[in-house]
Amino acid sequence: MHHDTQCHLCLVPGKPSLPPQEAWVQNTSVVEKVCLGQELDPAWLERVLEACALRRHVDSFPAGVHTSTGEQSEDIVS
């Protein structure tokens, strides 16, 4: 097995395969998803939203960064 430290890949010899995948979306607010349990730093949050090109989308949500999103959420409509 070869570990590539630059792009964090483990290369295993043999036939390539994909493990089964299941979607997982937390039913929490945008700010909770971005902060992942850390204390909110408003300047950092703004940098993340800009870097991910999410500012325009978040601004359109009913409660901005405090809008709940996820599979069970009724706060926003896709």
Side-chain angles (χ1 to χ4, degrees):
M1 183 182 300
H2 171 72
H3 183 70
D4 184 342
T5 56
Q6 288 186 345
C7 61
H8 306 288
L9 293 176
C10 288
L11 305 175
V12 180
K15 196 171 170 182
S17 65
L18 293 173
Q21 298 179 7
E22 187 175 316
W24 178 71
V25 179
Q26 291 180 315
N27 294 312
T28 61
S29 71
V30 173
V31 73
E32 290 170 319
K33 285 181 174 79
V34 172
C35 291
L36 295 172
Q38 300 297 312
E39 185 176 331
L40 171 60
D41 175 353
W44 178 80
L45 175 62
E46 287 305 315
R47 287 193 309 271
V48 169
L49 293 176
E50 289 298 324
C52 296
L54 293 173
R55 171 47 57 207
R56 182 174 55 108
H57 299 290
V58 171
D59 286 346
S60 73
F61 296 164
V65 296
H66 301 288
T67 301
S68 178
T69 61
E71 291 180 357
Q72 304 297 316
S73 178
E74 297 179 8
D75 286 354
I76 62 172
V77 178
S78 302

